[in-house]
Amino acid sequence: MRSNRSIAAFAAVLVLAAGAAVYQFSGRETSEPSPEILALESTVSTGADTETMIITLESGEVHIELLPSIAPQHVERIKTLVSQGAYDGVVFHRVIDGFMAQTGDVQYGDATDAGFNLRRAGTGGSDMPDLPAEFSTTPFERGTVGMARSQDPNSGNSQFFIMFDEGSFLNGEYTVFGRVVQGMEHVDSIKKGDRASNGAVDDPDRMVSVRMVN
């Protein structure tokens, strides 16, 4: 069994039990993009060479610009899984209001698959090897997309999370590989989980389909 790849918040109370990360997080009001993220937006490539992942939710499409210049191996892994259709139907198993929405467990999280197991969703990954960390100075802001991992920095595999708000305590601790450029309102509408249960969601929303476009 793979270890849980949930986000261990740096400023949180972290308890590991049976492979599960449990933490408390105090949300904050949504803020405008920081000077750092605005600088990133001005330097990230645009145009025909831009790689965009589109997640279709029940409420609409979320466009995510991938950032191979700062996390090439993670971007390549995401693209591979998308090309395999591995993310289609996968649930948002852990969603914390004011923090992030986590998804991508292709082993246990496909709600359209006979092997779907909500109780275990969040503990699995793909059949491919874990990835070495590609930490950068890119900050975690509202709309940032990062790779989930266990306590081992080099344990990213298939799970990822989308930030509802800034999370500077994650900076340099988790790999950033993308950012939402359209459809953040649909991310905001994802069903939230219970904070007392580490954001676990009953009857969770899912990624209906995921595709790549240029």
Side-chain angles (χ1 to χ4, degrees):
M1 181 191 303
R2 290 184 178 275
S3 61
N4 188 315
R5 306 185 187 283
S6 61
I7 304 165
F10 179 77
V13 177
L14 176 64
V15 178
L16 294 178
V22 181
Y23 58 85
Q24 299 172 345
F25 175 78
S26 297
R28 55 179 66 82
E29 295 181 359
T30 300
S31 59
E32 292 299 318
S34 72
E36 289 85 357
I37 200 67
L38 292 174
L40 172 66
E41 291 174 357
S42 69
T43 58
V44 171
S45 62
T46 58
D49 294 332
T50 300
E51 297 179 297
T52 302
M53 176 172 68
I54 298 180
I55 301 175
T56 299
L57 305 179
E58 294 289 350
S59 60
E61 291 185 344
V62 179
H63 292 226
I64 295 173
E65 182 178 6
L66 301 182
L67 305 174
S69 62
I70 61 173
Q73 294 183 73
H74 284 71
V75 167
E76 191 60 34
R77 170 62 56 82
I78 294 296
K79 290 169 58 181
T80 298
L81 290 170
V82 170
S83 71
Q84 295 173 350
Y87 286 133
D88 296 349
V90 173
V91 301
F92 288 88
H93 62 272
R94 177 169 291 106
V95 186
I96 301 178
D97 192 23
F99 185 20
M100 59 87 219
Q102 186 173 335
T103 184
D105 185 344
V106 301
Q107 184 174 4
Y108 299 117
D110 184 353
T112 67
D113 185 83
F116 174 64
N117 188 329
L118 180 58
R119 183 179 62 83
R120 297 186 70 180
T123 66
S126 75
D127 292 332
M128 290 179 281
D130 290 345
L131 294 166
E134 293 179 300
F135 299 155
S136 68
T137 58
T138 305
F140 279 88
E141 302 279 354
R142 172 172 165 80
T144 297
V145 185
M147 204 72 166
R149 64 172 177 81
S150 68
Q151 283 191 310
D152 179 359
N154 303 310
S155 60
N157 189 284
S158 69
Q159 293 188 42
F160 61 91
F161 57 95
I162 305 173
M163 300 295 290
F164 289 125
D165 201 355
E166 72 87 24
S168 58
F169 49 86
L170 300 178
N171 292 350
E173 302 288 335
Y174 290 83
T175 297
V176 173
F177 68 85
R179 63 188 181 99
V180 175
V181 295
Q182 182 179 324
M184 191 64 197
E185 69 273 17
H186 302 306
V187 177
D188 290 334
S189 70
I190 295 171
K191 183 178 180 182
K192 310 302 187 296
D194 183 0
R195 285 174 179 271
S197 299
N198 196 25
V201 186
D202 294 326
D203 189 23
D205 288 341
R206 64 189 178 93
M207 297 185 285
V208 177
S209 64
V210 185
R211 69 185 192 276
M212 293 294 305
V213 298
N214 288 327

